Short mmCIF file of all heavy atoms in Angstrom, two decimals:
data_model
loop_
_atom_site.label_atom_id
_atom_site.label_comp_id
_atom_site.label_asym_id
_atom_site.label_seq_id
_atom_site.Cartn_x
_atom_site.Cartn_y
_atom_site.Cartn_z
N ILE A 22 127.50 87.81 85.20
CA ILE A 22 127.21 89.20 84.85
C ILE A 22 125.79 89.33 84.31
O ILE A 22 125.05 90.23 84.68
CB ILE A 22 128.24 89.72 83.81
CG1 ILE A 22 129.62 89.82 84.47
CG2 ILE A 22 127.82 91.07 83.25
CD1 ILE A 22 130.75 90.09 83.49
N MET A 23 125.38 88.40 83.48
CA MET A 23 124.03 88.43 82.91
C MET A 23 122.98 88.18 83.99
O MET A 23 121.88 88.75 83.94
CB MET A 23 123.90 87.43 81.77
CG MET A 23 124.72 87.84 80.56
SD MET A 23 124.65 86.64 79.24
CE MET A 23 122.99 86.88 78.66
N ASP A 24 123.27 87.35 84.98
CA ASP A 24 122.33 87.10 86.07
C ASP A 24 122.08 88.35 86.90
O ASP A 24 121.05 88.47 87.57
CB ASP A 24 122.84 85.98 86.98
CG ASP A 24 122.68 84.61 86.36
OD1 ASP A 24 121.94 84.48 85.36
OD2 ASP A 24 123.32 83.65 86.86
N MET A 25 123.01 89.30 86.88
CA MET A 25 122.82 90.58 87.59
C MET A 25 121.92 91.52 86.81
O MET A 25 121.62 92.61 87.28
CB MET A 25 124.17 91.26 87.80
CG MET A 25 125.06 90.59 88.78
SD MET A 25 126.55 91.57 88.99
CE MET A 25 127.71 90.31 89.42
N GLY A 26 121.52 91.14 85.61
CA GLY A 26 120.66 91.99 84.80
C GLY A 26 121.44 92.87 83.84
O GLY A 26 120.88 93.77 83.23
N ILE A 27 122.74 92.62 83.72
CA ILE A 27 123.57 93.43 82.82
C ILE A 27 123.64 92.71 81.48
O ILE A 27 124.30 91.68 81.34
CB ILE A 27 124.98 93.63 83.41
CG1 ILE A 27 124.87 94.35 84.76
CG2 ILE A 27 125.86 94.42 82.44
CD1 ILE A 27 126.17 94.45 85.51
N THR A 28 122.90 93.24 80.51
CA THR A 28 122.89 92.69 79.17
C THR A 28 123.06 93.83 78.17
O THR A 28 123.03 95.00 78.54
CB THR A 28 121.56 91.96 78.89
OG1 THR A 28 120.49 92.87 79.11
CG2 THR A 28 121.39 90.75 79.78
N ARG A 29 123.24 93.48 76.91
CA ARG A 29 123.45 94.50 75.88
C ARG A 29 122.25 95.45 75.82
O ARG A 29 121.10 95.02 75.86
CB ARG A 29 123.65 93.82 74.53
CG ARG A 29 124.08 94.77 73.46
CD ARG A 29 124.45 94.07 72.21
NE ARG A 29 123.55 92.94 71.97
CZ ARG A 29 123.52 92.26 70.86
NH1 ARG A 29 124.30 92.57 69.89
NH2 ARG A 29 122.69 91.25 70.72
N GLY A 30 122.53 96.74 75.75
CA GLY A 30 121.50 97.76 75.63
C GLY A 30 121.04 98.34 76.95
O GLY A 30 120.31 99.33 76.96
N VAL A 31 121.45 97.77 78.07
CA VAL A 31 121.02 98.26 79.39
C VAL A 31 121.85 99.47 79.79
O VAL A 31 123.05 99.52 79.54
CB VAL A 31 121.19 97.13 80.43
CG1 VAL A 31 121.00 97.65 81.84
CG2 VAL A 31 120.22 96.01 80.16
N GLU A 32 121.19 100.44 80.42
CA GLU A 32 121.90 101.62 80.91
C GLU A 32 122.37 101.37 82.34
O GLU A 32 121.62 100.83 83.16
CB GLU A 32 121.01 102.86 80.85
CG GLU A 32 120.77 103.32 79.44
CD GLU A 32 120.07 104.66 79.37
OE1 GLU A 32 119.68 105.20 80.42
OE2 GLU A 32 119.94 105.17 78.26
N ILE A 33 123.61 101.78 82.61
CA ILE A 33 124.23 101.60 83.93
C ILE A 33 124.68 102.96 84.43
O ILE A 33 125.34 103.70 83.71
CB ILE A 33 125.44 100.65 83.84
CG1 ILE A 33 125.00 99.26 83.37
CG2 ILE A 33 126.15 100.56 85.18
CD1 ILE A 33 126.16 98.30 83.16
N PHE A 34 124.33 103.27 85.67
CA PHE A 34 124.77 104.51 86.31
C PHE A 34 125.88 104.14 87.30
O PHE A 34 125.69 103.31 88.17
CB PHE A 34 123.61 105.17 87.05
CG PHE A 34 124.01 106.39 87.84
CD1 PHE A 34 124.37 107.56 87.18
CD2 PHE A 34 124.05 106.37 89.22
CE1 PHE A 34 124.75 108.69 87.89
CE2 PHE A 34 124.42 107.49 89.94
CZ PHE A 34 124.77 108.65 89.27
N VAL A 35 127.06 104.76 87.14
CA VAL A 35 128.20 104.50 88.02
C VAL A 35 128.06 105.39 89.25
O VAL A 35 128.16 106.60 89.16
CB VAL A 35 129.54 104.76 87.28
CG1 VAL A 35 130.70 104.46 88.20
CG2 VAL A 35 129.62 103.95 86.01
N ARG A 36 127.80 104.78 90.41
CA ARG A 36 127.57 105.53 91.65
C ARG A 36 128.86 105.81 92.41
O ARG A 36 129.02 106.88 92.96
CB ARG A 36 126.64 104.75 92.59
CG ARG A 36 125.23 104.64 92.10
CD ARG A 36 124.33 103.97 93.10
NE ARG A 36 124.77 102.62 93.43
CZ ARG A 36 125.15 102.24 94.65
NH1 ARG A 36 125.13 103.06 95.65
NH2 ARG A 36 125.53 101.00 94.85
N LYS A 37 129.73 104.83 92.48
CA LYS A 37 130.89 104.96 93.34
C LYS A 37 131.96 103.99 92.89
O LYS A 37 131.65 102.89 92.45
CB LYS A 37 130.48 104.65 94.78
CG LYS A 37 131.54 104.79 95.81
CD LYS A 37 130.95 104.47 97.18
CE LYS A 37 132.02 104.40 98.24
NZ LYS A 37 131.50 103.98 99.54
N VAL A 38 133.22 104.41 93.02
CA VAL A 38 134.35 103.53 92.75
C VAL A 38 135.26 103.60 93.97
O VAL A 38 135.62 104.69 94.42
CB VAL A 38 135.12 103.96 91.48
CG1 VAL A 38 136.32 103.06 91.25
CG2 VAL A 38 134.21 103.94 90.27
N ALA A 39 135.60 102.46 94.52
CA ALA A 39 136.47 102.42 95.70
C ALA A 39 137.83 103.02 95.34
O ALA A 39 138.22 103.03 94.17
CB ALA A 39 136.63 100.99 96.18
N PRO A 40 138.56 103.54 96.33
CA PRO A 40 139.84 104.22 96.06
C PRO A 40 140.81 103.40 95.21
O PRO A 40 141.51 103.95 94.38
CB PRO A 40 140.41 104.48 97.45
CG PRO A 40 139.23 104.52 98.34
CD PRO A 40 138.22 103.58 97.74
N LEU A 41 140.84 102.10 95.41
CA LEU A 41 141.75 101.27 94.61
C LEU A 41 141.04 100.65 93.41
O LEU A 41 141.59 99.80 92.73
CB LEU A 41 142.37 100.18 95.49
CG LEU A 41 143.22 100.71 96.64
CD1 LEU A 41 143.72 99.56 97.50
CD2 LEU A 41 144.38 101.54 96.14
N GLY A 42 139.81 101.07 93.17
CA GLY A 42 139.08 100.61 91.98
C GLY A 42 138.29 99.34 92.17
O GLY A 42 137.68 98.84 91.24
N ASP A 43 138.27 98.76 93.36
CA ASP A 43 137.56 97.50 93.58
C ASP A 43 136.77 97.61 94.87
O ASP A 43 137.37 97.77 95.92
CB ASP A 43 138.55 96.36 93.67
CG ASP A 43 137.98 95.01 93.30
OD1 ASP A 43 136.82 94.96 92.85
OD2 ASP A 43 138.68 94.01 93.46
N PRO A 44 135.49 97.58 94.92
CA PRO A 44 134.54 97.33 93.85
C PRO A 44 134.05 98.61 93.16
O PRO A 44 134.30 99.70 93.64
CB PRO A 44 133.37 96.68 94.58
CG PRO A 44 133.36 97.34 95.91
CD PRO A 44 134.82 97.58 96.23
N VAL A 45 133.33 98.40 92.07
CA VAL A 45 132.67 99.47 91.36
C VAL A 45 131.19 99.33 91.70
O VAL A 45 130.61 98.27 91.47
CB VAL A 45 132.88 99.34 89.83
CG1 VAL A 45 132.12 100.41 89.08
CG2 VAL A 45 134.37 99.39 89.50
N GLU A 46 130.59 100.36 92.27
CA GLU A 46 129.18 100.30 92.63
C GLU A 46 128.36 100.99 91.55
O GLU A 46 128.64 102.12 91.18
CB GLU A 46 128.95 100.95 94.00
CG GLU A 46 129.64 100.19 95.11
CD GLU A 46 129.35 100.74 96.48
OE1 GLU A 46 128.44 101.58 96.62
OE2 GLU A 46 130.03 100.31 97.42
N VAL A 47 127.33 100.28 91.07
CA VAL A 47 126.52 100.77 89.95
C VAL A 47 125.04 100.58 90.26
O VAL A 47 124.67 99.82 91.16
CB VAL A 47 126.88 100.03 88.64
CG1 VAL A 47 128.30 100.29 88.24
CG2 VAL A 47 126.61 98.54 88.75
N THR A 48 124.21 101.27 89.50
CA THR A 48 122.77 101.07 89.54
C THR A 48 122.34 100.55 88.18
O THR A 48 122.62 101.17 87.16
CB THR A 48 122.03 102.39 89.87
OG1 THR A 48 122.49 102.88 91.11
CG2 THR A 48 120.53 102.17 89.93
N VAL A 49 121.68 99.38 88.18
CA VAL A 49 121.22 98.74 86.95
C VAL A 49 119.75 98.37 87.14
O VAL A 49 119.42 97.65 88.09
CB VAL A 49 122.02 97.46 86.66
CG1 VAL A 49 121.54 96.79 85.38
CG2 VAL A 49 123.50 97.74 86.58
N ARG A 50 118.89 98.88 86.27
CA ARG A 50 117.46 98.56 86.31
C ARG A 50 116.85 98.80 87.70
O ARG A 50 116.02 98.03 88.16
CB ARG A 50 117.22 97.12 85.88
CG ARG A 50 117.66 96.85 84.47
CD ARG A 50 117.42 95.43 84.08
NE ARG A 50 117.96 95.21 82.75
CZ ARG A 50 117.61 94.21 81.98
NH1 ARG A 50 116.74 93.33 82.38
NH2 ARG A 50 118.16 94.08 80.78
N GLY A 51 117.33 99.84 88.38
CA GLY A 51 116.79 100.18 89.68
C GLY A 51 117.42 99.44 90.85
O GLY A 51 117.06 99.67 91.99
N TYR A 52 118.37 98.55 90.58
CA TYR A 52 119.04 97.80 91.63
C TYR A 52 120.46 98.32 91.81
O TYR A 52 121.15 98.63 90.84
CB TYR A 52 119.10 96.30 91.29
CG TYR A 52 117.75 95.65 91.27
CD1 TYR A 52 117.07 95.44 90.07
CD2 TYR A 52 117.14 95.24 92.45
CE1 TYR A 52 115.83 94.85 90.05
CE2 TYR A 52 115.90 94.64 92.44
CZ TYR A 52 115.25 94.44 91.24
OH TYR A 52 114.02 93.86 91.23
N GLU A 53 120.91 98.39 93.06
CA GLU A 53 122.27 98.80 93.35
C GLU A 53 123.14 97.57 93.46
O GLU A 53 122.84 96.65 94.23
CB GLU A 53 122.30 99.61 94.65
CG GLU A 53 121.52 100.90 94.53
CD GLU A 53 121.49 101.70 95.82
OE1 GLU A 53 121.99 101.22 96.85
OE2 GLU A 53 120.96 102.81 95.78
N LEU A 54 124.22 97.53 92.66
CA LEU A 54 125.10 96.37 92.61
C LEU A 54 126.55 96.78 92.84
O LEU A 54 126.93 97.91 92.56
CB LEU A 54 125.01 95.70 91.23
CG LEU A 54 123.64 95.25 90.75
CD1 LEU A 54 123.74 94.79 89.30
CD2 LEU A 54 123.11 94.14 91.62
N SER A 55 127.34 95.83 93.30
CA SER A 55 128.79 96.02 93.40
C SER A 55 129.43 95.01 92.47
O SER A 55 129.12 93.82 92.51
CB SER A 55 129.28 95.76 94.83
OG SER A 55 128.84 96.75 95.69
N LEU A 56 130.32 95.50 91.61
CA LEU A 56 131.03 94.64 90.66
C LEU A 56 132.50 94.62 90.99
O LEU A 56 133.08 95.64 91.36
CB LEU A 56 130.87 95.17 89.24
CG LEU A 56 129.49 95.12 88.63
CD1 LEU A 56 129.49 95.89 87.32
CD2 LEU A 56 129.09 93.70 88.38
N ARG A 57 133.11 93.47 90.82
CA ARG A 57 134.56 93.40 90.94
C ARG A 57 135.20 94.11 89.77
O ARG A 57 134.62 94.19 88.68
CB ARG A 57 135.02 91.94 90.97
CG ARG A 57 134.58 91.23 92.23
CD ARG A 57 135.15 89.86 92.29
NE ARG A 57 134.52 89.04 91.26
CZ ARG A 57 134.53 87.72 91.28
NH1 ARG A 57 135.15 87.08 92.22
NH2 ARG A 57 133.95 87.04 90.34
N LYS A 58 136.38 94.62 89.99
CA LYS A 58 137.11 95.34 88.95
C LYS A 58 137.30 94.47 87.71
O LYS A 58 137.15 94.94 86.59
CB LYS A 58 138.46 95.77 89.55
CG LYS A 58 139.31 96.62 88.68
CD LYS A 58 140.49 97.20 89.42
CE LYS A 58 141.18 96.24 90.35
NZ LYS A 58 142.39 96.77 90.95
N ALA A 59 137.61 93.20 87.91
CA ALA A 59 137.82 92.28 86.77
C ALA A 59 136.54 92.10 85.97
O ALA A 59 136.56 92.02 84.74
CB ALA A 59 138.34 90.94 87.27
N ASP A 60 135.40 92.02 86.66
CA ASP A 60 134.12 91.87 85.95
C ASP A 60 133.76 93.13 85.19
O ASP A 60 133.25 93.08 84.07
CB ASP A 60 133.00 91.52 86.93
CG ASP A 60 133.14 90.12 87.51
OD1 ASP A 60 133.98 89.35 87.01
OD2 ASP A 60 132.41 89.80 88.47
N ALA A 61 134.02 94.30 85.80
CA ALA A 61 133.72 95.57 85.15
C ALA A 61 134.55 95.75 83.87
O ALA A 61 134.10 96.37 82.92
CB ALA A 61 133.97 96.73 86.10
N ALA A 62 135.75 95.17 83.85
CA ALA A 62 136.61 95.27 82.67
C ALA A 62 136.07 94.44 81.50
O ALA A 62 136.47 94.63 80.36
CB ALA A 62 138.03 94.84 83.01
N MET A 63 135.15 93.51 81.77
CA MET A 63 134.59 92.65 80.72
C MET A 63 133.31 93.20 80.13
O MET A 63 132.70 92.59 79.26
CB MET A 63 134.32 91.26 81.29
CG MET A 63 135.55 90.53 81.69
SD MET A 63 135.12 88.92 82.33
CE MET A 63 136.67 88.47 83.07
N ILE A 64 132.89 94.39 80.58
CA ILE A 64 131.67 95.01 80.10
C ILE A 64 132.04 96.22 79.25
O ILE A 64 132.51 97.22 79.79
CB ILE A 64 130.76 95.42 81.27
CG1 ILE A 64 130.44 94.19 82.14
CG2 ILE A 64 129.49 96.08 80.75
CD1 ILE A 64 129.76 94.53 83.44
#
C-alpha cells in the first residue's frame, strides 16, 4: 500500500467502485490506481 504512494496525510479521490466492490479505483498524487477491496479496508 505504501509503495503505491498511499501514506498518512495523502488525499485520495474515489473515482469508481466496481458493482461488487472489487476493485476500488482511486486517484492518488495524480496517479490512477486500482485497489483490492481487502486493501481498501486497511486504509
Side-chain angles (χ1 to χ4, degrees):
I22 292 170
M23 291 177 72
D24 285 345
M25 290 184 209
I27 300 172
T28 56
R29 189 172 39 169
V31 170
E32 289 189 355
I33 298 176
F34 175 71
V35 181
R36 291 185 301 117
K37 182 179 172 185
V38 178
L41 298 177
D43 205 7
V45 177
E46 295 184 12
V47 297
T48 302
V49 180
R50 298 180 184 199
Y52 294 99
E53 296 178 355
L54 304 172
S55 291
L56 293 171
R57 292 185 291 199
K58 185 170 42 174
D60 291 349
M63 295 180 193
I64 303 170

